[in-house]
């Protein structure tokens, strides 16, 4: 469960755009806040990533849990939204599990700025099978780092973590942004249709007036 509203929004605003971004990839599964069991017959061998992406696994059906021995693939990307109650586990316990399992990229994000310095940390699995830190880069007035696994930039805008698509030179829309964009598009369409209808009525009125004047001059 999310510790605060900011942690909940940070998780949803990362997972939902990522899910939409991966819709055209039938072999990419985006999961969030679900139990991931990694040792058959041992229910204690479990973690619950805030967000993960696994390649090579079908999208359907939706899973209630993720069992590595059934799926046959380890997630390539994991993000943990760090809070007061999860800091130690995110920094030590989960990190060690993900490293052992072979998760290619492990990221941590602290939306409150109280538990991580910097508030975004990334690690990439090195050739020796150990995590190596990914330094953030200054770009466009903020800090960011490209994820080779996702093909996206993870960018900090103040205390907000955003996903940026370099191929499209655009941010992935959050659920709220997508909803507002749809409303704006619908309103623009409604106004365009109203303007078109008005022009049709004006033209019809003008044609009727011309017809009436012709009738009178006969």
């Amino acid at each position: 469960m999310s510790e605060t509203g900011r942690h909940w929004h940070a998780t949803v605003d990362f997972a939902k755009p990522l899910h939409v971004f991966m819709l055209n990839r039938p072999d990419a599964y985006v999961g969030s806040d679900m139990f991931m069991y990694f040792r058959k017959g041992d229910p204690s061998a479990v973690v619950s990533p805030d967000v993960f992406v696994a390649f090579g696994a079908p999208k359907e059906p939706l899973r209630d849990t993720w069992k590595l021995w059934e799926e046959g693939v380890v997630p390539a990307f994991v993000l943990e939204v760090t809070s007061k109650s999860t800091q130690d586990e995110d920094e030590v316990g989960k990190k060690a599990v993900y490293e052992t399992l072979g998760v290619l990229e492990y990221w941590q994000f602290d939306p409150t700025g109280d538990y991580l310095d910097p508030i975004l940390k990334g690690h990439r699995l090195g050739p020796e099978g150990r995590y190596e830190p990914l330094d953030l880069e200054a770009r466009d007035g903020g800090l960011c780092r490209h994820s080779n696994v996702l093909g996206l930039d993870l960018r900090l805008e103040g205390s907000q973590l955003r996903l940026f698509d370099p191929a499209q030179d655009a941010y992935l829309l959050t659920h709220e942004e997508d909803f507002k964009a749809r409303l704006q598009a619908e309103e623009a369409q409604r106004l365009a249709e109203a303007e078109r209808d008005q022009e049709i009525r004006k033209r019809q009125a003008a044609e009727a007036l011309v017809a009436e004047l012709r009738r009178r001059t006969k």
Side-chain angles (χ1 to χ4, degrees):
M1 295 178 62
S2 299
E3 187 159 313
T4 68
R6 277 185 287 181
H7 291 83
W8 181 83
H9 276 287
T11 302
V12 173
D13 287 347
F14 193 92
K16 189 65 175 181
L18 192 55
H19 172 75
V20 174
F21 179 75
M22 296 290 180
L23 279 178
N24 291 329
R25 289 201 57 171
D27 66 333
Y29 191 95
V30 179
S32 178
D33 286 332
M34 59 191 294
F35 287 128
M36 179 182 296
Y37 296 95
F38 54 88
R39 190 178 302 122
K40 188 175 182 179
D42 183 0
S44 67
V46 61
V47 287
S48 180
D50 289 325
V51 184
F52 72 88
V53 181
F55 297 101
K59 275 186 167 52
E60 301 294 340
L62 295 177
R63 281 69 151 183
D64 295 327
T65 61
W66 191 268
K67 300 175 181 178
L68 295 187
W69 60 91
E70 291 183 357
E71 302 294 343
V73 293
V74 173
F77 177 97
V78 167
L79 170 76
E80 295 288 358
V81 180
T82 298
S83 64
K84 180 179 180 180
S85 63
T86 68
Q87 179 184 10
D88 291 341
E89 183 66 10
D90 291 349
E91 290 274 72
V92 182
K94 283 187 171 181
K95 181 180 177 183
V97 170
Y98 297 143
E99 183 180 71
T100 301
L101 292 178
V103 175
L104 296 180
E105 287 186 4
Y106 174 51
W107 293 82
Q108 298 164 260
F109 173 58
D110 174 12
T112 65
D114 296 327
Y115 309 108
L116 294 180
D117 184 21
I119 66 172
L120 177 65
K121 287 185 175 182
H123 291 82
R124 183 176 295 157
L125 206 64
E128 302 299 323
R130 303 298 300 273
Y131 276 138
E132 300 173 351
L134 295 170
D135 295 329
L136 300 182
E137 303 168 350
R139 194 182 307 167
D140 298 332
L143 294 175
C144 75
R145 182 71 192 217
H146 185 72
S147 166
N148 290 340
V149 170
L150 300 180
L152 299 169
D153 292 344
L154 280 72
R155 293 194 177 190
L156 288 173
E157 288 194 348
S159 61
Q160 186 179 14
L161 177 61
R162 300 294 306 269
L163 285 165
F164 183 87
D165 183 1
Q168 299 296 325
D169 193 30
Y171 284 99
L172 303 191
L173 297 181
T174 65
H175 179 72
E176 183 176 349
E177 290 170 338
D178 181 62
F179 179 72
K180 289 180 179 179
R182 290 175 185 273
L183 287 181
Q184 291 174 350
E186 291 173 359
E187 178 64 11
Q189 182 178 359
R190 187 189 67 78
L191 292 175
E193 290 175 351
E195 184 177 352
R196 184 172 64 252
D197 291 343
Q198 185 178 23
E199 290 298 321
I200 291 174
R201 288 193 295 270
K202 285 181 179 180
R203 186 170 66 252
Q204 290 173 338
E207 291 172 350
L209 178 59
V210 170
E212 178 62 19
L213 289 175
R214 288 176 177 173
R215 186 186 66 80
R216 292 180 181 183
T217 56
K218 287 182 179 179

